[in-house]
Short mmCIF file of all heavy atoms in Angstrom, two decimals:
data_model
loop_
_atom_site.label_atom_id
_atom_site.label_comp_id
_atom_site.label_asym_id
_atom_site.label_seq_id
_atom_site.Cartn_x
_atom_site.Cartn_y
_atom_site.Cartn_z
N MET A 108 4.15 45.84 174.85
CA MET A 108 4.47 46.44 176.14
C MET A 108 4.69 47.94 175.97
O MET A 108 5.26 48.39 174.98
CB MET A 108 5.70 45.76 176.75
CG MET A 108 5.38 44.35 177.15
SD MET A 108 6.76 43.57 177.96
CE MET A 108 6.04 41.96 178.25
N THR A 109 4.25 48.67 176.98
CA THR A 109 4.26 50.12 176.86
C THR A 109 5.38 50.80 177.63
O THR A 109 5.61 51.99 177.45
CB THR A 109 2.91 50.70 177.34
OG1 THR A 109 2.68 50.26 178.68
CG2 THR A 109 1.78 50.23 176.43
N SER A 110 6.05 50.03 178.48
CA SER A 110 7.13 50.68 179.23
C SER A 110 8.38 49.81 179.21
O SER A 110 8.31 48.58 179.09
CB SER A 110 6.71 50.93 180.69
OG SER A 110 6.67 49.72 181.40
N MET A 111 9.50 50.46 179.35
CA MET A 111 10.79 49.74 179.39
C MET A 111 10.87 48.89 180.65
O MET A 111 11.45 47.80 180.63
CB MET A 111 11.96 50.73 179.33
CG MET A 111 12.14 51.38 177.97
SD MET A 111 12.41 50.17 176.66
CE MET A 111 14.05 49.64 177.03
N ASP A 112 10.27 49.38 181.73
CA ASP A 112 10.30 48.62 182.99
C ASP A 112 9.55 47.30 182.84
O ASP A 112 10.02 46.25 183.29
CB ASP A 112 9.70 49.46 184.12
CG ASP A 112 9.96 48.81 185.47
OD1 ASP A 112 11.13 48.43 185.73
OD2 ASP A 112 8.99 48.66 186.25
N GLU A 113 8.40 47.34 182.17
CA GLU A 113 7.61 46.13 181.94
C GLU A 113 8.41 45.14 181.06
O GLU A 113 8.47 43.94 181.33
CB GLU A 113 6.29 46.51 181.26
CG GLU A 113 5.34 45.36 181.07
CD GLU A 113 4.05 45.79 180.37
OE1 GLU A 113 3.97 46.93 179.86
OE2 GLU A 113 3.13 44.95 180.33
N LEU A 114 9.04 45.66 180.03
CA LEU A 114 9.87 44.84 179.15
C LEU A 114 11.05 44.25 179.91
O LEU A 114 11.34 43.05 179.81
CB LEU A 114 10.37 45.68 177.97
CG LEU A 114 11.30 44.97 176.99
CD1 LEU A 114 10.61 43.80 176.32
CD2 LEU A 114 11.82 45.97 175.96
N ARG A 115 11.70 45.08 180.69
CA ARG A 115 12.86 44.63 181.48
C ARG A 115 12.44 43.52 182.45
O ARG A 115 13.10 42.48 182.54
CB ARG A 115 13.46 45.80 182.24
CG ARG A 115 14.75 45.44 182.97
CD ARG A 115 15.40 46.67 183.63
NE ARG A 115 14.57 47.35 184.59
CZ ARG A 115 14.35 46.93 185.85
NH1 ARG A 115 14.92 45.82 186.27
NH2 ARG A 115 13.59 47.60 186.66
N GLN A 116 11.34 43.68 183.15
CA GLN A 116 10.88 42.67 184.11
C GLN A 116 10.54 41.35 183.40
O GLN A 116 10.88 40.28 183.90
CB GLN A 116 9.65 43.17 184.88
CG GLN A 116 9.98 44.21 185.93
CD GLN A 116 10.95 43.68 186.96
OE1 GLN A 116 12.13 44.05 186.96
NE2 GLN A 116 10.50 42.80 187.83
N THR A 117 9.91 41.44 182.26
CA THR A 117 9.55 40.23 181.49
C THR A 117 10.80 39.50 181.04
O THR A 117 10.89 38.27 181.14
CB THR A 117 8.67 40.61 180.28
OG1 THR A 117 7.50 41.27 180.76
CG2 THR A 117 8.29 39.39 179.48
N LEU A 118 11.79 40.23 180.56
CA LEU A 118 13.02 39.60 180.10
C LEU A 118 13.83 39.01 181.26
O LEU A 118 14.41 37.93 181.13
CB LEU A 118 13.87 40.59 179.30
CG LEU A 118 13.27 41.00 177.95
CD1 LEU A 118 14.16 42.05 177.28
CD2 LEU A 118 13.06 39.81 177.05
N ILE A 119 13.84 39.70 182.38
CA ILE A 119 14.53 39.17 183.57
C ILE A 119 13.88 37.85 183.99
O ILE A 119 14.56 36.87 184.27
CB ILE A 119 14.52 40.19 184.72
CG1 ILE A 119 15.50 41.33 184.40
CG2 ILE A 119 14.87 39.53 186.05
CD1 ILE A 119 15.42 42.49 185.37
N GLN A 120 12.54 37.83 184.01
CA GLN A 120 11.83 36.61 184.39
C GLN A 120 12.13 35.48 183.39
O GLN A 120 12.35 34.34 183.78
CB GLN A 120 10.32 36.86 184.47
CG GLN A 120 9.54 35.66 184.97
CD GLN A 120 9.94 35.26 186.37
OE1 GLN A 120 9.98 36.09 187.27
NE2 GLN A 120 10.27 33.99 186.56
N LEU A 121 12.16 35.81 182.12
CA LEU A 121 12.47 34.82 181.09
C LEU A 121 13.85 34.21 181.32
O LEU A 121 14.03 33.00 181.31
CB LEU A 121 12.40 35.45 179.69
CG LEU A 121 12.95 34.61 178.55
CD1 LEU A 121 12.05 33.41 178.29
CD2 LEU A 121 13.13 35.45 177.30
N ILE A 122 14.82 35.07 181.55
CA ILE A 122 16.20 34.60 181.74
C ILE A 122 16.32 33.78 183.02
O ILE A 122 16.98 32.74 183.04
CB ILE A 122 17.19 35.77 181.69
CG1 ILE A 122 17.24 36.28 180.25
CG2 ILE A 122 18.57 35.36 182.18
CD1 ILE A 122 18.06 37.49 180.02
N GLU A 123 15.64 34.19 184.08
CA GLU A 123 15.67 33.41 185.33
C GLU A 123 15.06 32.03 185.11
O GLU A 123 15.59 31.02 185.58
CB GLU A 123 14.94 34.16 186.44
CG GLU A 123 15.71 35.33 186.99
CD GLU A 123 14.92 36.15 188.01
OE1 GLU A 123 13.70 35.88 188.21
OE2 GLU A 123 15.52 37.06 188.61
N ASP A 124 13.93 31.97 184.40
CA ASP A 124 13.28 30.69 184.12
C ASP A 124 14.19 29.79 183.28
O ASP A 124 14.32 28.59 183.55
CB ASP A 124 11.96 30.89 183.37
CG ASP A 124 10.87 31.50 184.24
OD1 ASP A 124 11.06 31.55 185.48
OD2 ASP A 124 9.86 31.94 183.68
N LEU A 125 14.81 30.36 182.27
CA LEU A 125 15.69 29.56 181.41
C LEU A 125 16.95 29.11 182.16
O LEU A 125 17.39 27.97 181.99
CB LEU A 125 16.06 30.35 180.16
CG LEU A 125 14.89 30.61 179.19
CD1 LEU A 125 15.35 31.52 178.06
CD2 LEU A 125 14.34 29.32 178.65
N ALA A 126 17.50 29.98 182.99
CA ALA A 126 18.69 29.61 183.78
C ALA A 126 18.35 28.47 184.73
O ALA A 126 19.13 27.52 184.89
CB ALA A 126 19.22 30.81 184.54
N HIS A 127 17.18 28.55 185.33
CA HIS A 127 16.74 27.47 186.23
C HIS A 127 16.62 26.16 185.45
O HIS A 127 17.03 25.10 185.91
CB HIS A 127 15.41 27.85 186.88
CG HIS A 127 14.86 26.79 187.77
ND1 HIS A 127 15.40 26.50 189.00
CD2 HIS A 127 13.82 25.94 187.61
CE1 HIS A 127 14.73 25.52 189.55
NE2 HIS A 127 13.76 25.16 188.73
N GLY A 128 16.05 26.24 184.25
CA GLY A 128 15.92 25.05 183.41
C GLY A 128 17.25 24.46 183.01
O GLY A 128 17.43 23.25 183.01
N VAL A 129 18.20 25.32 182.68
CA VAL A 129 19.54 24.85 182.31
C VAL A 129 20.20 24.17 183.51
O VAL A 129 20.81 23.11 183.38
CB VAL A 129 20.41 26.02 181.79
CG1 VAL A 129 21.87 25.63 181.71
CG2 VAL A 129 19.91 26.48 180.42
N GLN A 130 20.03 24.75 184.69
CA GLN A 130 20.60 24.15 185.90
C GLN A 130 19.98 22.78 186.16
O GLN A 130 20.68 21.83 186.50
CB GLN A 130 20.38 25.06 187.11
CG GLN A 130 21.03 24.55 188.36
CD GLN A 130 20.86 25.51 189.52
OE1 GLN A 130 19.99 26.37 189.51
NE2 GLN A 130 21.68 25.35 190.53
N GLN A 131 18.67 22.65 185.98
CA GLN A 131 18.02 21.35 186.16
C GLN A 131 18.54 20.34 185.15
O GLN A 131 18.75 19.17 185.48
CB GLN A 131 16.51 21.49 186.03
CG GLN A 131 15.86 22.15 187.22
CD GLN A 131 14.36 22.30 187.04
OE1 GLN A 131 13.88 22.54 185.94
NE2 GLN A 131 13.64 22.14 188.12
N ALA A 132 18.75 20.77 183.92
CA ALA A 132 19.28 19.87 182.89
C ALA A 132 20.68 19.40 183.26
O ALA A 132 21.01 18.22 183.09
CB ALA A 132 19.29 20.57 181.53
N GLN A 133 21.50 20.31 183.79
CA GLN A 133 22.85 19.92 184.20
C GLN A 133 22.79 18.93 185.36
O GLN A 133 23.53 17.95 185.38
CB GLN A 133 23.65 21.15 184.61
CG GLN A 133 24.08 22.02 183.46
CD GLN A 133 24.77 23.28 183.93
OE1 GLN A 133 24.45 23.84 184.99
NE2 GLN A 133 25.71 23.75 183.14
#
């Protein structure tokens, strides 16, 4: 990745996906 914004968006999406998965598991 070439920009911090691109990295930040990818990590935000990752965390949202994982949080959703954790909520489904609960």
